Amino acid sequence: LFEKIEDIPAIEQINSGPWKIWMDKIGAGKAKIIQVMLENNGKASKQQLIVLTGLSRESIRIYVSSLISMKLLIDGGAGEYSLAKI
């Protein structure tokens, strides 16, 4: 239920570091997903991604699949995703 403070991504990680480098390379839709996940402690459900990114269900499916294959997202099952440690 409670996460260690050091396990929660800091806002600075959004604008610098490895996620910034990836977000600059992967395209706007995928970067939006990463942005939302960084702002939500590195975890989100499929429905949360749809609502918070404003992307369609099909776009989320395509982008999430691509991010998983790039080893940037981890599929936790039941439509739950988390950011990989990079």
Side-chain angles (χ1 to χ4, degrees), residues 71-86:
K71 308 284 191 224
L72 296 177
L73 281 188
I74 298 167
D75 187 349
E80 299 288 328
Y81 305 101
S82 60
L83 288 174
K85 303 258 188 225
I86 60 169

Side-chain angles (χ1 to χ4, degrees), residues 23-75:
M23 289 170 64
D24 289 342
K25 293 180 180 181
I26 61 176
K30 292 179 211 161
K32 240 183 198 185
I33 291 171
I34 298 294
Q35 177 84 31
V36 164
M37 295 194 73
L38 285 168
E39 292 171 354
N40 287 291
N41 301 324
K43 298 177 182 175
S45 69
K46 182 176 183 176
Q47 191 60 39
Q48 286 173 315
L49 292 175
I50 292 167
V51 171
L52 296 173
T53 62
L55 298 170
S56 70
R57 183 174 303 276
E58 183 65 11
S59 292
I60 293 293
R61 185 189 68 75
I62 292 166
Y63 294 149
V64 163
S65 177
S66 177
L67 289 167
I68 290 170
S69 70
M70 295 168 72
K71 308 284 191 224
L72 296 177
L73 281 188
I74 298 167
D75 187 349

Side-chain angles (χ1 to χ4, degrees), residues 2-27:
F2 296 101
E3 297 182 56
K4 293 180 190 176
I5 296 294
E6 60 268 15
D7 291 341
I8 299 173
I11 294 299
E12 296 84 44
Q13 287 180 322
I14 296 170
N15 297 319
S16 63
W19 287 115
K20 172 69 171 142
I21 293 165
W22 275 108
M23 289 170 64
D24 289 342
K25 293 180 180 181
I26 61 176

